[in-house]
Amino acid sequence: MSGCRICGGPVHEFACFGPQPLSDAFVAPGDVGAEYFFRLAVGRCARCRMVQLTEPVPREKMFRHDYPYRSSQSARMRRHFDRTCRALLRDLPGTDPFVVEIGCNDGGLLTAVHAAGVRCLGVDPSVQAAGAAAVRGLRVVTEFFGEETAARVRAAEGPADLIYSANTISHIDDLASVFAGVDRLLAPAGRFVFEDPYLGDVLARSAFDQVIDEHFYFFAVGSVRDAVRRFGFELVDVEALPVHGGEMRFTVARPGRRRPSAAVGAALAREDALGLAEPASLRRLAAGAERVRAELPALLRRLRAEGRVVAGYGATAKSATVTNYCGIGPDLVAFVCDSTPGKQGLLTPGTHIPVRPPEAFADPYPDYAVLFAWNHAEEIMAKERGFRESGGRWIRYVPDVHVV
Ligand code: SAH
Ligand code: TMP
Ligand code: ZN
């Protein structure tokens, strides 16, 4: 049993996906012997109910200079961030507002903020991703966000009216350091807005592949409300988002500065009625994963025996969990197509499936393709319409294994 990273309470494990490599550590063909493995397991704190990994992976191992993920690979996400920018800017003070983004990556959101003429700054430790943002004319502090960085930014720029973060706060096991930084930097009436995969959607879709090294926390409205209170803040709004397989946007403010919206109470009531963070709901995730582990490799072996060619689509971080947990290597999935330049030409972490550019998909089309990037299904299936038209079939495994 491990200790809760928020309250120190006992964390009871409810699912383990065995030894796993770092989910974004794609390997060069010559370097396959040197990968870092850890035991990937997820549990729930019996005291504060926060769902979390039982063991953090050191952050310097995950977010390195060559961290390959790029926000702007998806057209849908680019639209999402443009819309988000418009919504966020509506609620800023009139004179010279200041926006800070934690985990800005290549500037998916900040590009729009900057284009709107709003003073802004990103914080992201991954050197190459931050460099891509700088190329777009954005200012980025290449560091892990925390109290020290926040104090320096405040001294140089003054307080932030908005601190925003997407798909990053759930990656940071030391949330106390994040909130200490937010406390330093945020203006008295400012907002801290963050959006991350929502526990309710992970469970509803049985999306066990959301459990990766980088996803340290699985936020629910109840657990986040309690955590931010512990750190001296108040949860004042929540909004469900349809991206990345289902996320929640949390808006946090200093206590008493903003009246909590009705959406917060409604979400809390829904979570209670569902028994969302109850052990029985959580155990279903492990059962769903076991079913996929029984069915997906069996399907792939059958197709191989029939002489079919199977590829993968989207060398996602999530696919590391699926392929390593299910024992799916290049013998079952010949290659994976992915549009991210920093992944192409390398092998998937742990399972060593070659990653190829999207152009390789039609050259010639495989008979079947496992849709690893299931959270981008519409965009990818529309883009790759020719695959279906030529008789190809998609294999999906969320929420269960099926062929379409
Ligand atoms: N916000 C983008 C990128 C998400 S990937 C999007 O939603 O698409 C997560 C990013 O957070 C990575 O670029 C990583 O380098 C960064 N990151 C991880 N830990 C961080 C920390 N402690 N402070 C700031 N950025 C961090
Ligand atoms: P994500 O699920 O973490 O966003 O990762 C999606 C991966 O899929 C990322 O490596 C980029 C890749 N991808 C494609 O190859 N083609 C596409 O059309 C999209 C949207 C993503
Ligand atoms: Zn706890």
Side-chain angles (χ1 to χ4, degrees), residues 357-369:
E359 299 75 56
F361 194 52
D363 188 27
Y365 283 124
D367 301 304
Y368 289 79

Side-chain angles (χ1 to χ4, degrees), residues 70-147:
R70 293 293 178 273
S71 311
S72 47
Q73 286 303 311
S74 156
R76 175 157 184 235
M77 288 310 295
R78 290 197 297 272
R79 283 197 301 276
H80 170 74
F81 286 129
D82 284 346
R83 245 194 326 267
T84 298
C85 172
R86 285 196 295 275
L88 292 172
L89 297 191
R90 248 179 257 136
D91 193 11
L92 285 178
T95 48
D96 189 29
F98 179 43
V99 174
V100 172
E101 184 180 14
I102 303 173
C104 63
N105 197 268
D106 61 2
L109 175 97
L110 278 189
T111 302
V113 178
H114 183 64
V118 172
R119 186 161 57 96
C120 58
L121 182 75
V123 181
D124 198 304
S126 294
V127 174
Q128 291 174 6
V135 166
R136 298 163 117 179
L138 303 171
R139 296 187 300 146
V140 185
V141 179
T142 313
E143 289 173 21
F144 288 96
F145 180 84
E147 206 175 346

Side-chain angles (χ1 to χ4, degrees), residues 258-342:
R258 281 163 190 260
R259 184 204 297 268
S261 72
V264 176
L268 289 170
R270 216 165 31 241
E271 290 186 352
D272 279 348
L274 270 174
L276 182 65
E278 294 310 315
S281 312
L282 300 172
R283 278 194 299 268
R284 281 198 285 274
L285 186 71
E290 276 168 30
R291 270 194 304 279
V292 171
R293 181 163 62 171
E295 293 171 17
L296 184 57
L299 169 64
L300 297 174
R301 277 194 295 271
R302 182 166 62 73
L303 294 173
R304 181 180 59 187
E306 291 171 3
R308 311 288 186 186
V309 176
V310 182
Y313 211 104
T316 58
K318 294 185 280 298
S319 66
T321 296
V322 180
T323 57
N324 284 280
Y325 176 67
C326 298
I328 297 170
D331 54 326
L332 295 177
V333 172
F335 60 93
V336 188
C337 289
D338 194 288
S339 57
T340 314

Side-chain angles (χ1 to χ4, degrees), residues 223-239:
S223 60
V224 167
R225 177 200 50 186
D226 294 353
V228 305
R229 190 181 286 161
R230 175 180 288 274
F231 298 126
F233 287 85
E234 186 175 16
L235 179 64
V236 295
D237 197 19
V238 292
E239 182 189 350

Side-chain angles (χ1 to χ4, degrees), residues 236-254:
V236 295
D237 197 19
V238 292
E239 182 189 350
L241 304 171
V243 297
H244 285 313
E247 301 208 316
M248 192 66 80
R249 176 177 292 162
F250 300 94
T251 300
V252 165
R254 296 187 188 278

